[in-house]
Amino acid sequence: MSHSPSGPTAHPQSFGSATKGCLLFLGVVLIASLGGFALFDGDDYGIYSLLPTAVVLGMAILTRRTIESLLAGALVGLLMVDPTSVVSQGSDILLGVLGNDTVTWIILVCGLFGSLIALLVKTGGVLTFGDAVTKHIHSRRQSLLATWLLGLVIFVDDYLNALAISASMKKITDRFNISREKLAYVVDSTAAPICILVPFSTWAVFFAGLLEENDIAGNGMNLYIEAIPFMFYAWVAAALVPLVALGWIPNLGPMKAAEARAAAGQPIPSGVDDSALEVADDGRKRPHLLNFLLPIVTLIFFTWYYDIDILRGVIVALAVTLVLIASQRLLSFHDTFDTALEGFKSMIMPLGTLVAGFALKEVNDALGLTDYVISTVQPLMTPGMLPTVVFITMAFLAFATASFWGLFAVAMPIVLPLAASLDAHMPLVVGALISASAFGSHACFYGDSTVLSAQGAGCTPMAHALTQLPYVLIAAAIAAAIFLIAGHL
């Protein structure tokens, strides 16, 4: 059953936060409506293009509700564009988002991944893996370090990291009273940050293609590989994890509260329904470890075999899993497909967040947010400052728009020719650009990696985002300092 507050005495702070969020939203809606009629000069929204993002962040922090905050920000942006056509504009944007090939691909990948995990859980494959790993893990530090090492090994795709590792490790971390939020942080820190450091991941293939399209320095993959040593955010973010796992960096801010709750015997946050992907230990004989390893190895191999396409990889892995279930009679025909459907359904909430995030991106594009921010910081761009300015600016935009790939298709034709004209160190500038993308994926409250890491670990996206934020900001500050030094050397 749900543990949501159901009365005036349940969680008064939640009621107060929700009220403040609603009041903030109503006030901004009024301003945006008036602005849409009178304040904005044609299509030039200037600094006002930041307003929808500010509303999203403000409401998300106050209410801790992600989808509602995203839709509120999108509504504010639509009111700014034209208050008289909000319904028609909004419906067109939603239809466009749901008809987008990338969004459809994400829905299929995440849904089928949910089905695969649910089947591995139901048949006991995850418990078998847990038993095998637990023999070698005897402390909370070892369990966190093992999670981190798995993230370094499974580097093909950030979705694969976010979902497979968290689902297979959470029973182990639960045993040592580690909060699901800390598990989500460790998993998320080895998703995009690790994927960009490996030249045959989905991220590398995409960005190398962008570099090739922009005709910079000939071969795009060669330039990408040259830039890997300069992707400072990824290196720092990944290196912080073992320091946190070992306790050398203490629990900070909301993470301290989450760990205190877990230490008291409650690793899973209140109100989180993790039942669809939860491992139930009913004492039955475990299936062979191969029932877990074969689908996962199949997933990794065929993702690579099909040119880093995780959708095709997960389809083949599901087929292998179904054959294993049928051949060993682990589940009945009806149970098998009911479980697969339950797993798919468990991804509806994170997918709703992603769709709302894409809708907000479309609204921000209509307001010219990216062009405004880039044109504002362009005067600061000298050869020495360029990498730092690029990293900070693009990191903010990636965080604000939840666009970690599409945004850079817009930015590269602006930033790379500017770097060439200033005779800046091109691999360093490319490293700054791609580091900013990894930061956005890592930090954004409603980004796909954040949402899926939280879903896999069994906590809410907002709880995960807020608990990992101090560590993300530490990594970003260190990376910015390194970019500043490197740019002047």
Side-chain angles (χ1 to χ4, degrees):
M1 293 181 62
S2 172
H3 298 285
S4 58
S6 57
T9 60
H11 290 288
Q13 71 275 19
S14 300
F15 178 76
S17 296
T19 303
K20 290 176 185 175
C22 290
L23 291 174
L24 167 67
F25 173 59
L26 291 173
V28 175
V29 164
L30 179 60
I31 294 170
S33 300
L34 293 173
F37 281 119
L39 297 179
F40 307 123
D41 180 19
D43 294 329
D44 184 13
Y45 296 92
I47 195 171
Y48 295 107
S49 62
L50 297 169
L51 188 59
T53 301
V55 169
V56 172
L57 295 177
M59 280 196 66
I61 291 170
L62 283 173
T63 66
R64 302 202 172 194
R65 305 281 292 185
T66 312
I67 296 178
E68 296 89 330
S69 301
L70 288 167
L71 293 176
L75 177 59
V76 167
L78 291 172
L79 288 168
M80 292 168 64
V81 173
D82 184 0
T84 64
S85 61
V86 170
V87 174
S88 58
Q89 284 188 91
S91 60
D92 288 346
I93 285 175
L94 286 175
L95 283 172
V97 166
L98 290 172
N100 183 298
D101 289 346
T102 301
V103 175
T104 305
W105 183 86
I106 290 173
I107 290 172
L108 287 172
V109 166
C110 295
L112 293 176
F113 224 118
S115 296
L116 176 63
I117 293 170
L119 287 170
L120 292 177
V121 167
K122 184 77 171 180
T123 58
V126 171
L127 280 174
T128 307
F129 175 78
D131 290 344
V133 172
T134 302
K135 293 176 184 176
H136 306 285
I137 293 177
H138 306 292
S139 70
R140 57 181 287 115
R141 291 181 176 182
Q142 289 179 359
S143 66
L144 290 171
L145 288 173
T147 305
W148 177 68
L149 288 172
L150 275 175
L152 300 183
V153 172
I154 303 178
F155 49 72
V156 174
D157 185 82
D158 53 332
Y159 288 7
L160 182 58
N161 279 33
L163 290 168
I165 297 173
S166 54
S168 58
M169 290 299 294
K170 59 188 175 185
K171 263 301 178 192
I172 298 167
T173 55
D174 282 357
R175 188 171 292 126
F176 296 104
N177 285 338
I178 295 169
S179 68
R180 294 292 181 87
E181 291 93 332
K182 178 161 275 191
L183 173 62
Y185 158 68
V186 174
V187 169
D188 203 0
S189 298
T190 56
I194 295 301
C195 286
I196 70 168
L197 297 176
V198 180
F200 44 91
S201 66
T202 48
W203 287 65
V205 170
F206 174 79
F207 280 111
L210 276 186
L211 292 169
E212 193 85 39
E213 284 179 19
N214 284 278
D215 197 27
I216 298 295
N219 186 287
M221 184 55 78
N222 286 344
L223 178 56
Y224 186 94
I225 293 171
E226 287 179 39
I228 288 175
F230 302 104
M231 297 176 188
F232 298 130
Y233 177 79
W235 291 110
V236 174
L240 282 183
V241 175
L243 302 181
V244 174
L246 293 169
W248 297 353
I249 295 177
N251 297 318
L252 302 171
M255 188 69 82
K256 183 181 291 186
E259 283 294 281
R261 184 202 69 233
Q266 188 186 344
I268 306 175
S270 299
V272 171
D273 181 11
D274 198 34
S275 58
L277 300 180
E278 188 57 78
V279 182
D281 190 353
D282 55 9
R284 289 183 303 171
K285 182 181 177 181
R286 302 281 196 268
H288 196 279
L289 181 59
L290 191 67
N291 286 16
F292 178 85
L293 292 182
L294 186 58
I296 296 298
V297 171
T298 300
L299 176 64
I300 296 170
F301 174 78
F302 281 97
T303 297
W304 167 81
Y305 178 79
Y306 286 114
D307 296 324
I308 319 296
D309 187 342
I310 195 173
L311 174 58
R312 295 176 182 180
V314 77
I315 288 172
V316 178
L318 261 175
V320 168
T321 304
L322 292 174
V323 169
L324 288 172
I325 291 171
S327 62
Q328 299 173 59
R329 298 181 179 177
L330 297 173
L331 297 174
S332 70
F333 178 84
H334 293 297
D335 280 349
T336 298
F337 287 94
D338 285 347
T339 301
L341 285 174
E342 284 299 316
F344 200 107
K345 283 160 55 179
S346 73
M347 292 294 173
I348 288 177
M349 282 299 289
L351 289 173
T353 302
L354 294 176
V355 169
F358 272 91
L360 177 66
K361 175 193 174 297
E362 294 297 321
V363 172
N364 281 332
D365 288 346
L367 295 172
L369 173 65
T370 301
D371 292 338
Y372 166 73
V373 173
I374 290 177
S375 64
T376 301
V377 302
Q378 201 162 359
L380 302 173
M381 293 188 181
T382 61
M385 289 296 297
L386 181 60
T388 310
V389 172
V390 164
F391 172 67
I392 293 173
T393 303
M394 297 309 299
F396 166 75
L397 284 172
F399 176 84
T401 62
S403 176
F404 318 122
W405 286 14
L407 172 66
F408 292 82
V410 176
M412 277 193 183
I414 300 170
V415 172
L416 297 184
L418 179 62
S421 68
L422 292 173
D423 199 25
H425 188 260
M426 191 62 71
L428 178 60
V429 174
V430 171
L433 266 173
I434 298 172
S435 287
S437 179
F439 169 85
S441 177
H442 195 191
C444 182
F445 290 12
Y446 42 90
D448 46 10
S449 182
T450 300
V451 171
L452 295 178
S453 296
Q455 177 72 7
C459 64
T460 64
M462 190 55 58
H464 166 43
L466 291 175
T467 49
Q468 82 167 357
L469 187 59
Y471 307 101
V472 170
L473 293 178
I474 289 171
I478 294 172
I482 298 173
F483 278 120
L484 186 61
I485 294 167
H488 286 89
L489 290 178

